[in-house]
Amino acid sequence: MKNISRVKEIIVANKEKAGRVADLIIVNKALIIANKALIIANKEQGEFLVNISHELKTPLNVIFSTAQLFDMYCKSGSLDDKKESIIRYIESMKLNSYRLSKLINNIVDISKIEAGFFKLNLSNNNIVQVVEDIVMSVTTLTECNGLQIIFDTDIEEKIIACDTEKIERIVLNLMSNAIKFSDDGDEIFVDIKDKSEFIEISVKDNGIGIEDKNLSMIFDRFKQVDKSLSRNTEGTGVGLSLVKSIVELHGGSIYVESECGKGSKFTVRLPSKKVLHESILYNNEVKSQNQNIRVEFSDVY
Ligand code: ADP
């Protein structure tokens, strides 16, 4: 009898051991998967750093070589003769400074989001007015390329909680991409639709479009569609991931529809909610400062 109960005990103990081994195997598998994810994340971070330092160096080199050229003109006493070209060089220095600012702003914001320090200054604003003001302030810049920006809305007023500065970043970013991937003379449509529970802002272009296989990754941090396929060689692939994070911080969502060769449409949905305590009020005086537009559009103009 004693022997039988001993055998039973051993069987139970063995079952428990087998259970623990199975648990360990599962934990081990999870660790292997986590480790693989870490290796991939590290690789992507590494690639991003290489890419970003190249993007930082390019405008810096332009600014530095131009400064050296001015130095040479000063020393040789040819400043007056070179007046025409100096004016052009100053413009190029400004453009490259805007590019640097955009890059640095994006890197700082991405780091803040990752660290959880990125804050929204929410206030109740007429989102239609906010978006229209942004669109209107870029039209002068785009008209010189023959690009037409067509703004349409199905409502005149909708008060929602938003951070106007961040909404400007979102709209300018989507518009600068639309311009970047369109041809001169094309049309870009910015539409607002009231869907009662939320408000829809869309930016649509008739440009080069995005291949189906790339659609799922364009919102990923550090990801750029194969450069050989896109006409643009500038960029770090952080713009859309930043836009997505800012939209999500507002409690909204973003999605894209695109057809290769036909164009793309990015739609942002923001919840129709208000805040009780406003941090900052929308001030018409600070809307779409020219400086902000030049920074956000530095890849295209
Ligand atoms: P970047 O900061 O390099 O401009 P984004 O995150 O803004 O990167 O965009 C990621 C990629 O998505 C771009 O490199 C481009 O290939 C693609 N893309 C974004 N917007 C458009 C658009 N309107 N038309 C075609 N391709 C686009």
Side-chain angles (χ1 to χ4, degrees), residues 125-138 163-169 172 280-294:
N125 302 284
N126 178 9
I127 187 74
V128 183
Q129 189 67 53
V130 173
V131 176
E132 191 174 359
D133 284 347
I134 301 165
V135 175
M136 291 312 143
S137 43
V138 298
D163 181 330
T164 51
E165 238 179 76
K166 307 291 185 308
I167 297 293
E168 180 176 272
R169 291 283 291 280
L172 287 182
I280 281 182
L281 287 175
Y282 179 47
N283 178 357
N284 272 356
E285 299 303 314
V286 296
K287 72 186 178 203
S288 298
Q289 297 283 336
N290 201 30
Q291 190 87 348
N292 294 354
I293 299 169
R294 295 302 303 260

Side-chain angles (χ1 to χ4, degrees), residues 43-55 222:
K43 194 170 166 260
E44 280 179 2
Q45 191 101 357
E47 280 169 7
F48 171 68
L49 281 178
V50 172
N51 194 6
I52 207 111
S53 35
H54 170 77
E55 294 296 328
F222 319 146

Side-chain angles (χ1 to χ4, degrees), residues 118-125 127 159-167 170 246-252 270-271 273-282:
F118 194 84
K119 291 244 152 52
L120 294 183
N121 289 316
L122 289 179
S123 58
N124 299 323
N125 302 284
I127 187 74
I159 310 288
I160 65 161
C162 60
D163 181 330
T164 51
E165 238 179 76
K166 307 291 185 308
I167 297 293
I170 296 171
I246 300 175
V247 171
E248 285 172 355
L249 280 172
H250 275 88
L270 297 174
K273 283 190 194 142
K274 287 184 194 155
V275 274
L276 286 178
H277 306 287
E278 300 180 289
S279 344
I280 281 182
L281 287 175
Y282 179 47

Side-chain angles (χ1 to χ4, degrees), residues 68-201:
Q68 275 184 318
L69 199 69
F70 286 174
D71 192 33
M72 214 173 73
Y73 289 165
C74 280
K75 284 180 181 143
S76 63
S78 53
L79 270 180
D80 278 339
D81 304 340
K82 301 284 183 188
K83 214 171 167 186
E84 296 270 300
S85 52
I86 287 174
I87 293 169
R88 272 203 323 274
Y89 287 134
I90 290 173
E91 273 313 305
S92 140
M93 275 175 117
K94 275 201 218 159
L95 180 70
N96 282 283
S97 307
Y98 290 135
R99 281 192 182 148
L100 270 180
S101 294
K102 181 177 177 180
L103 262 172
I104 293 164
N105 285 348
N106 283 352
I107 299 169
V108 169
D109 286 346
I110 286 275
S111 312
K112 277 191 189 164
I113 287 172
E114 274 183 357
F117 292 145
F118 194 84
K119 291 244 152 52
L120 294 183
N121 289 316
L122 289 179
S123 58
N124 299 323
N125 302 284
N126 178 9
I127 187 74
V128 183
Q129 189 67 53
V130 173
V131 176
E132 191 174 359
D133 284 347
I134 301 165
V135 175
M136 291 312 143
S137 43
V138 298
T139 41
T140 32
L141 210 65
T142 51
E143 266 164 13
C144 55
N145 268 36
L147 267 165
Q148 282 245 36
I149 310 234
I150 297 149
F151 175 77
D152 194 15
T153 175
D154 65 4
I155 34 155
E156 285 303 312
E157 189 181 280
K158 182 88 181 186
I159 310 288
I160 65 161
C162 60
D163 181 330
T164 51
E165 238 179 76
K166 307 291 185 308
I167 297 293
E168 180 176 272
R169 291 283 291 280
I170 296 171
V171 177
L172 287 182
N173 200 301
L174 295 179
M175 286 180 77
S176 80
N177 273 347
I179 295 166
K180 204 165 20 174
F181 298 105
S182 294
D183 283 320
D184 294 356
D186 276 357
E187 287 173 330
I188 287 159
F189 301 86
V190 181
D191 275 323
I192 299 188
K193 284 198 170 71
D194 184 13
K195 301 275 179 183
S196 148
E197 294 281 286
F198 51 85
I199 195 102
E200 244 180 37
I201 306 163

Side-chain angles (χ1 to χ4, degrees), residues 177-178 180-181 205 209-210 218 224-225 235-240 264 266:
N177 273 347
K180 204 165 20 174
F181 298 105
D205 63 66
I210 305 161
I218 56 165
Q224 258 197 322
V225 172
T236 47
V238 289
L240 283 176
S264 313
F266 286 81

Side-chain angles (χ1 to χ4, degrees), residues 200 202-205 209-210 212 215 218-219 254-260 262-267 269:
E200 244 180 37
S202 63
V203 179
K204 180 175 167 286
D205 63 66
I210 305 161
D212 276 354
L215 274 181
I218 56 165
F219 293 108
I254 181 166
Y255 65 91
V256 58
E257 297 154 274
S258 186
E259 208 179 321
C260 226
K262 294 236 168 116
S264 313
K265 182 178 175 188
F266 286 81
T267 307
R269 283 180 170 168

